[in-house]
Amino acid sequence: LDNSFQRLHTLIRKASSAQSPRDSGRFSKSPMTSPRSTPVHAAHALAMHSEDGFSGPLSGHTFPEKHDSLSELSMLERRSQSQPLPSPPLRHQPLPPLASHPTPPLSPEITVPKVADPPPLVVTAMMKPKKPVKKTTSNSSKMQLALPISLHKQTMKVFVATWNVGNHVPDQKEMAKWLPTTRELMADLIVIGVQECNYEIPREMHNNMRGLLVRSTSELASSNKISAAFLRSIAERRSNNQFDSQIKLHYGARFRKVASVHLRDMRLIVMCSNELRPHISEVEKARKATGIANIIGNKGGLMIKLKVYDTRLCFLSCHLHAHESQKMVVTRNQDLVEILKGASNSLKLRLDVAQRFDHTFLFGDLNYRTDVTSLESKSDEEHHQLVAQMIKNGEYEKLVRSDQLKREMAANRALVGFQETKINFPPTFKVVRGSIQEYANHRIPSYCDRILFSSLPGLEHRIIQTVYDSAHLVTSSDHKPVYSLFDVDTSPEELADATAREHLSLLEILNMGKDKQELQLQILNLSTHNVNEEIQNCSSFIFKCNSVVCTDKKVQTDVCDKPEWSKKISINLKPSQARHLLGTHLFITLWDASTTNKLLAQGTLSLDPWTRLDRCEYFEMRMSRFGVYCGNLCGTMQIIAK
């Protein structure tokens, strides 16, 4: 084609040199006088824009949309041999339409290559390449199956903090010392519990508020009709707003409030990062007062429970009764029972709240004191001096051995199933306000402020406490704040522990060709031992079984006169494969049948080991109720494919 256009250009130049003046005049008399509307053939246009720069005469002309340019090329070549072509017009003279000339057939000297049509544009969606499927091999001794296991571990950081602020308004500098925002301590979920957080309204504001309420309400003709409780509730709301505002200001726009709850001077707030918020669900909260007659809210507990991905978390912030006598130790133990029981009732749970969630955090001003038993015969002053010397020497481990809470937990009288990391900081109470580590003489230095946690059986490996410390630089209160950082694995259980399941269970081998199986859980020979006095004095019992994978809402035995059941208990499970039971639990509860279903004890059993067994296996587990040990439960169990 390039050679053809060069030849065409040469022919046009020869024709232009041979054109007569009479022909030029004939073209100038064309009726088409508008140079912009004159159609010009593509062959002329290509010739005018050739390499020698001849392009002037076609300036401003429009081109037809469709024309047979190859026919025109042949025509010009044949006419150049017989008669001269007219010369190109001047710049401002219109050109006649070339279509008026007869179009001869194609010249045999010009070959036209046939150009193939361009392939159609095909848009394909980006598809994730399929992973190669591992072939299943079979032999008499071992069978392997490729499980859809992801090695990606999903870890969430949880920051838990507690502080008795001593009814003193904390400023932002105090917040920064207590709630670090460094990269090492920054978390995805932030949980903060405070006690004695009642910011008193100044007297002038109190009087102005009282007068405003009297004047603005027609029913309140005199000021004595406004109760002190009503004014106190307004002060509490003001304190709540101020505390929440301080927390939001401290962490900034990166974090959002998930939930908050308060009771008198206690506050509990949960915040999360903006990225985590869409994955949080099932948020509920509750409160329980344990003050006078379990009604007054100066002491008690607050609870917020939620679900992050598929991990269920519960946070309990507590303020227990104070003082150092042994009698008050019993009272504090009872406070914990009432708080756990009240939280269960508020959430309408028939189960113990301490054994209901994957991970439960209990923290606050628990008020358990240091009690050095070897100094019982000595005076309080001598007792204080010895403890102060141990603090000065950094003998914290020795102090912890004298801690009342540690003793009660070891004796199974409080917080059964909970644990606490090693304490490596000085006691948090009672510190002289304004000092870093000076303790008041009239109180024995003690670890009143604590953070404990518990996990359901089989999930203990999915939480790690990485930090447990006190903010000793905070000096505005007589308590030192305490904070802790946890790494919580929120990966699906069946994907989280790939290395622990190198071999399949017999159930999966026998049913590996099925997508879902009908499974049944069978329990035999239930019996109890080492039960507490309350169970010993009971005359009729009922065992109940519950699990999230049960198809039946209620599975229970008949009434029996002893806390044991020798017959088989069959529990139908939701259709699934055995590996889908990983991370699930069976809750077995013992009830007093002579009353309106009073809960006597509860035990929790992980189903993980039974997904890998093909026979009845013995189990024994501890039973408790609201943190108090009740006895042991044993029996045999297996999972079968129906």
Side-chain angles (χ1 to χ4, degrees):
L1 288 178
D2 292 343
N3 294 334
S4 301
F5 288 141
Q6 290 178 2
R7 292 174 58 191
L8 174 64
H9 177 62
T10 304
L11 292 174
I12 292 175
R13 292 185 65 183
K14 290 180 180 180
S16 300
S17 60
Q19 184 182 5
S20 63
R22 181 173 54 87
D23 295 334
S24 177
R26 179 171 58 86
F27 278 99
S28 64
K29 294 180 181 180
S30 174
M32 302 181 66
T33 58
S34 176
R36 294 184 179 273
S37 62
T38 302
V40 180
H41 198 274
H44 282 81
L46 293 173
M48 296 300 181
H49 291 77
S50 59
E51 294 180 358
D52 64 350
F54 186 70
S55 59
L58 291 182
S59 300
H61 290 283
T62 60
F63 300 99
E65 294 181 0
K66 296 182 179 179
H67 202 282
D68 192 352
S69 59
L70 296 178
S71 299
E72 189 66 20
L73 289 174
S74 178
M75 178 195 72
L76 292 175
E77 184 177 8
R78 293 169 63 89
R79 288 184 59 183
S80 64
Q81 299 175 359
S82 60
Q83 61 181 0
L85 290 174
S87 60
L90 299 178
R91 180 179 297 273
H92 298 294
Q93 290 179 339
L95 288 175
L98 293 180
S100 62
H101 299 281
T103 303
L106 288 174
S107 172
E109 299 177 2
I110 302 178
T111 59
V112 181
K114 185 176 181 181
V115 181
D117 294 333
L121 181 63
V122 179
V123 180
T124 58
M126 296 298 293
M127 302 294 292
K128 186 176 180 181
K130 295 183 178 180
K131 297 181 179 179
V133 180
K134 296 183 180 180
K135 294 183 179 180
T136 303
T137 59
S138 175
N139 53 52
S140 58
S141 61
K142 183 178 179 180
M143 299 184 68
Q144 294 181 351
L145 181 66
L147 293 179
I149 294 176
S150 171
L151 298 181
H152 174 66
K153 189 174 182 180
Q154 186 172 270
T155 302
M156 172 184 64
K157 291 188 176 295
V158 180
F159 182 85
V160 180
T162 179
W163 185 22
N164 185 322
V165 301
N167 291 328
H168 179 80
V169 181
D171 56 20
Q172 291 305 122
K173 293 182 179 180
E174 297 279 78
M175 288 285 188
K177 297 175 184 177
W178 170 42
L179 306 174
T181 56
T182 59
R183 185 175 182 179
E184 294 77 10
L185 294 176
M186 188 56 68
D188 305 296
L189 195 68
I190 298 173
V191 185
I192 302 171
V194 291
Q195 307 83 37
E196 296 185 14
C197 186
N198 186 8
Y199 311 146
E200 294 293 339
I201 299 178
R203 183 177 298 275
E204 296 79 5
M205 185 181 297
H206 184 280
N207 295 335
N208 293 337
M209 183 184 299
R210 190 183 187 94
L212 178 62
L213 289 172
V214 171
R215 291 191 300 270
S216 61
T217 308
S218 59
E219 288 80 8
L220 300 176
S222 59
S223 59
N224 57 7
K225 290 187 178 181
I226 301 179
S227 65
F230 179 68
L231 292 175
R232 185 169 57 250
S233 66
I234 296 177
E236 289 176 2
R237 286 196 295 269
R238 178 177 178 272
S239 300
N240 294 334
N241 295 335
Q242 185 170 352
F243 174 71
D244 289 0
S245 300
Q246 283 184 295
I247 298 298
K248 293 178 183 177
L249 179 63
H250 177 73
Y251 282 106
R254 271 197 58 204
F255 290 85
R256 299 171 53 186
K257 184 172 78 169
V258 177
S260 63
V261 59
H262 74 277
L263 176 65
R264 285 288 295 268
D265 300 344
M266 293 178 285
R267 320 271 183 263
L268 175 61
I269 181 172
V270 176
M271 300 187 69
C272 72
S273 62
N274 294 328
E275 296 79 9
L276 186 64
R277 187 61 185 93
H279 307 288
I280 297 178
S281 60
E282 301 181 12
V283 180
E284 294 186 56
K285 52 189 178 182
R287 69 195 78 187
K288 173 60 179 177
T290 60
I292 300 175
N294 288 336
I295 296 176
I296 306 301
N298 61 325
K299 297 293 187 293
L302 306 173
M303 191 212 71
I304 294 178
K305 72 97 173 174
L306 49 87
K307 184 178 180 181
V308 183
Y309 299 103
D310 289 327
T311 302
R312 299 162 299 170
L313 304 176
C314 178
F315 302 97
L316 288 158
S317 177
C318 307
H319 191 191
L320 310 184
H321 280 88
H323 305 303
E324 300 172 353
S325 65
Q326 184 61 33
K327 178 182 177 180
M328 299 310 299
V329 175
V330 178
T331 303
R332 284 189 279 271
N333 293 346
Q334 187 61 32
D335 286 347
L336 291 172
V337 171
E338 293 297 330
I339 290 172
L340 295 174
K341 182 178 179 181
S344 300
N345 294 337
S346 298
L347 298 178
K348 298 180 180 180
L349 296 175
R350 298 303 302 270
L351 302 175
D352 183 358
V353 70
Q355 302 183 60
R356 185 63 181 86
F357 302 95
D358 295 339
H359 308 290
T360 302
F361 304 83
L362 190 144
F363 50 94
D365 181 6
L366 306 185
N367 261 321
Y368 286 94
R369 307 305 174 93
T370 301
D371 185 12
V372 182
T373 55
S374 61
L375 299 178
E376 289 181 353
S377 60
K378 297 186 179 284
S379 64
D380 291 343
E381 183 179 354
E382 293 176 325
H383 196 168
H384 184 280
Q385 290 177 356
L386 177 62
V387 173
Q389 186 62 38
M390 295 169 65
I391 296 172
K392 185 177 180 180
N393 297 337
E395 299 175 332
Y396 305 134
E397 185 176 356
K398 195 173 181 179
L399 275 174
V400 171
R401 287 200 296 265
S402 301
D403 178 66
Q404 292 176 346
L405 178 58
K406 291 290 187 182
R407 290 179 182 173
E408 297 303 304
M409 293 176 64
N412 290 324
R413 291 191 291 263
L415 298 181
V416 171
F418 283 84
Q419 59 178 311
E420 184 181 30
T421 306
K422 180 181 178 181
I423 296 177
N424 196 24
F425 50 86
T428 60
F429 178 81
K430 179 174 182 153
V431 184
V432 177
R433 293 179 188 261
S435 67
I436 294 180
Q437 195 171 325
E438 181 183 352
Y439 295 92
N441 294 328
H442 59 286
R443 290 288 191 272
I444 306 298
S446 303
Y447 292 101
C448 291
D449 307 275
R450 314 286 278 272
I451 299 176
L452 300 94
F453 64 99
S454 69
S455 302
L456 290 181
L459 300 181
E460 298 90 348
H461 66 285
R462 308 197 69 182
I463 182 171
I464 300 175
Q465 189 176 22
T466 59
V467 176
Y468 189 29
D469 204 354
S470 70
H472 64 280
L473 295 179
V474 175
T475 61
S476 60
S477 173
D478 55 355
H479 288 254
K480 295 294 184 182
V482 176
Y483 60 89
S484 184
L485 187 65
F486 297 87
D487 288 341
V488 180
D489 185 4
T490 58
S491 307
E493 180 63 27
E494 65 173 289
L495 306 179
D497 191 10
T499 58
R501 297 186 307 281
E502 296 178 355
H503 306 287
L504 295 178
S505 68
L506 179 63
L507 291 176
E508 290 179 310
I509 293 175
L510 295 177
N511 297 275
M512 62 184 180
K514 301 180 181 179
D515 292 335
K516 292 185 177 181
Q517 313 161 21
E518 292 185 5
L519 304 178
Q520 189 178 73
L521 184 65
Q522 295 182 349
I523 306 173
L524 298 169
N525 302 321
L526 283 179
S527 62
T528 60
H529 56 91
N530 296 334
V531 295
N532 58 11
E533 185 177 353
E534 184 177 10
I535 297 178
Q536 293 176 4
N537 296 333
C538 188
S539 58
S540 58
F541 305 90
I542 293 178
F543 285 100
K544 295 183 181 181
C545 301
N546 185 23
S547 176
V548 294
V549 293
C550 293
T551 58
D552 302 325
K553 294 183 179 180
K554 184 182 295 186
V555 178
Q556 65 182 45
T557 66
D558 296 333
V559 178
C560 49
D561 56 357
K562 294 181 180 180
E564 58 186 36
W565 185 259
S566 59
K567 298 180 182 179
K568 180 173 66 175
I569 303 175
S570 298
I571 304 174
N572 295 321
L573 305 180
K574 295 178 181 179
S576 63
Q577 289 188 337
R579 65 173 178 269
H580 297 156
L581 301 178
L582 294 172
T584 60
H585 295 81
L586 176 68
F587 304 100
I588 302 179
T589 51
L590 180 63
W591 301 79
D592 183 358
S594 61
T595 61
T596 56
N597 286 336
K598 179 182 178 181
L599 178 64
L600 296 175
Q602 175 180 329
T604 306
L605 194 65
S606 173
L607 295 180
D608 288 9
W610 278 267
T611 62
R612 307 181 184 94
L613 298 174
D614 58 344
R615 62 185 183 277
C616 257
E617 189 69 20
Y618 175 82
F619 70 87
E620 181 172 358
M621 60 180 173
R622 177 182 56 204
M623 300 192 75
S624 62
R625 184 185 64 172
F626 307 128
V628 179
Y629 173 75
C630 299
N632 284 15
L633 177 68
C634 59
T636 59
M637 185 174 70
Q638 68 173 343
I639 300 176
I640 64 171
K642 297 174 61 177

